[in-house]
Amino acid sequence: MIQLYGFALSNYYNKVKFVLLEHGIEFEEVFVLASQDEAVLAHSPLGKVPYIRTDAGDLCESEVIVEYLAQRHPDKPIFPADPFKAAKARELVTFVELHLELVARDLYKEAFFGGTVTDEVKARTAKRLAHGIGGFKRLAKFGPYLAGDEFTIADIAAFVSLPLVGMATATIYGRDFLLDAGIDWKGYVKLINQRPAAQRVSADRKAYIEASSASKVS
Ligand SMILES: N[C@@H](CCC(=O)N[C@@H](CS)C(=O)NCC(=O)O)C(=O)O
């Protein structure tokens, strides 16, 4: 059985977990934090999560893992059957992750973890995000799903990452760049959260946050 390594606060961990739950693929969760310890590096070369362990070996990078799952379970519609629709879904995943989330990630240290980010980084990130959001707006349909009327892997990627972009920009710049651009990510997340797999991911994330703040207090 696949073992999924990581922790419930990680958006990329939650993306893979959502896919596994959504498609009823059996898996076991193993708690591990991202780390430069040899014990983690032995399985995930950059020490990032998620990674999975399978009978055939280890695999990291969430999108690579999703592609592996899709090939290993051809009976599960992880990607649309139509090649063009599947490519459009992959295109949206790339936009969300590469042009939005990965850019906003430079803000997280200050936005979420009590650290500081230089004004230079903030200015550069604001520019790059404005560019990325402009492209994303031209591509995403929200009809009601990202790719149109069909729920796809792009929605799983967006569900776990758009809130981070919105919240990080709201905290750092005093305005939510997504909402300002007319992207109602809160309504969209509510829609996706109607799915049982999304509810489980959200509940586990919430429980993780509550447990971490309780352990800080005690
Ligand atoms: N491109 C990677 C990103 C994974 C990633 O950045 N994970 C974060 C947790 S959400 C992490 O492990 N951060 C620690 C680090 O970058 O060293 C993927 O899709 O899996």
Side-chain angles (χ1 to χ4, degrees):
M1 191 201 310
I2 286 170
Q3 291 178 307
L4 174 64
Y5 284 74
F7 59 104
L9 195 59
S10 156
N11 48 326
Y12 292 103
Y13 176 84
N14 284 336
K15 172 186 157 193
V16 174
K17 179 168 158 180
F18 193 149
V19 170
L20 289 161
L21 291 166
E22 177 75 22
H23 295 285
I25 300 169
E26 230 188 312
F27 70 107
E28 183 190 341
E29 288 185 81
V30 185
F31 173 79
V32 70
L33 293 173
S35 150
Q36 294 301 304
D37 289 350
E38 270 315 315
V40 173
L41 291 170
H43 304 288
S44 176
L46 289 174
K48 290 178 190 276
V49 298
Y51 62 88
I52 60 167
R53 302 199 66 190
T54 76
D55 296 343
D58 305 331
L59 213 48
C60 67
E61 287 296 334
S62 63
E63 200 54 23
V64 173
I65 296 170
V66 170
E67 294 284 349
Y68 165 73
L69 294 173
Q71 283 216 330
R72 187 166 154 178
H73 298 278
D75 53 316
K76 314 271 188 196
I78 294 176
F79 290 96
D82 176 77
F84 190 74
K85 284 187 177 166
K88 289 305 280 183
R90 287 185 175 94
E91 184 181 42
L92 279 161
V93 172
T94 302
F95 262 71
V96 168
E97 295 183 352
L98 190 63
H99 303 308
L100 300 184
E101 199 278 341
L102 200 58
V103 178
R105 190 158 275 262
D106 281 347
L107 306 172
Y108 295 177
K109 196 165 134 198
E110 182 169 324
F112 304 132
F113 301 117
T116 49
V117 168
T118 65
D119 287 346
E120 193 189 337
V121 168
K122 287 179 192 171
R124 189 185 64 217
T125 303
K127 238 177 148 176
R128 292 178 68 208
L129 272 178
H131 185 60
I133 290 169
F136 177 66
K137 263 202 86 168
R138 285 188 278 274
L139 197 62
K141 290 199 158 55
F142 290 101
Y145 300 111
L146 232 52
D149 58 4
E150 194 185 340
F151 174 86
T152 69
I153 182 67
D155 295 296
I156 296 181
F159 174 76
V160 298
S161 284
L162 290 187
L164 297 177
V165 178
M167 290 187 291
T169 52
T171 302
I172 299 294
Y173 305 107
R175 62 186 186 91
D176 180 324
F177 280 21
L178 293 176
L179 293 181
D180 267 16
I183 298 169
D184 174 22
W185 64 265
K186 293 182 182 176
Y188 169 76
V189 161
K190 234 184 223 168
L191 169 80
I192 304 302
N193 225 353
Q194 287 170 7
R195 307 181 88 82
Q199 284 165 20
R200 162 82 187 277
V201 166
S202 300
D204 289 355
R205 185 175 185 280
K206 188 165 174 254
Y208 180 90
I209 293 169
E210 284 168 1
S212 330
S213 40
S215 69
K216 268 180 208 141
V217 171
S218 57

